[in-house]
Amino acid sequence: MLYLSGHIFLSHQNPENVKNQYKSTACYHMADTAEILCAQIVQLPSEERMQVVERILDSLDEPDASMDALWAKEADNRLAAYRRGEIRAVTLSEVIAKYH
């Protein structure tokens, strides 16, 4: 059984039919689509759920030219500051020690 904002749907119903039934209500939102998908996904075997997770994570890791440009500028700024003696390099062991 699937419960969405006061509506109950049987899990054996076709997800598209559920979506269409629910879409006809005034309170349909994108988050409700996510609820429908999640309810379907949790019923999959664990290996298939991992495949879904991997595909979602891959879709979030799309290249972003503007973000790449910002990181390149930051790297250039840090290198320039290092060369001017404003910051120092630290060893990996120092970084690990700081966060452990």
Side-chain angles (χ1 to χ4, degrees):
M1 193 176 327
L2 175 62
Y3 177 80
L4 297 171
S5 302
H7 296 75
I8 297 175
F9 300 100
L10 299 175
S11 61
H12 68 272
Q13 287 181 290
N14 179 314
E16 194 58 37
N17 291 343
V18 170
K19 189 169 109 176
N20 288 337
Q21 287 173 340
Y22 199 65
K23 200 179 246 184
S24 66
T25 67
C27 58
Y28 177 80
H29 299 292
M30 190 57 125
D32 299 323
T33 300
E35 287 183 50
I36 292 169
L37 290 172
C38 286
Q40 298 286 321
I41 290 167
V42 298
Q43 295 177 17
L44 294 172
S46 60
E47 186 173 309
E48 290 180 34
R49 288 194 316 264
M50 280 304 297
Q51 291 172 357
V52 171
V53 168
E54 287 174 2
R55 290 187 68 182
I56 291 170
L57 290 174
D58 286 345
S59 74
L60 295 173
D61 199 22
E62 297 283 325
D64 182 341
S66 63
M67 186 62 68
D68 291 344
L70 287 172
W71 276 114
K73 183 176 181 190
E74 179 66 21
D76 289 342
N77 290 342
R78 290 181 188 190
L79 179 59
Y82 171 77
R83 288 181 174 158
R84 290 189 304 267
E86 296 171 4
I87 59 174
R88 70 176 186 86
V90 294
T91 65
L92 177 60
S93 59
E94 288 177 281
V95 173
I96 292 172
K98 179 178 179 178
Y99 295 101
H100 274 88

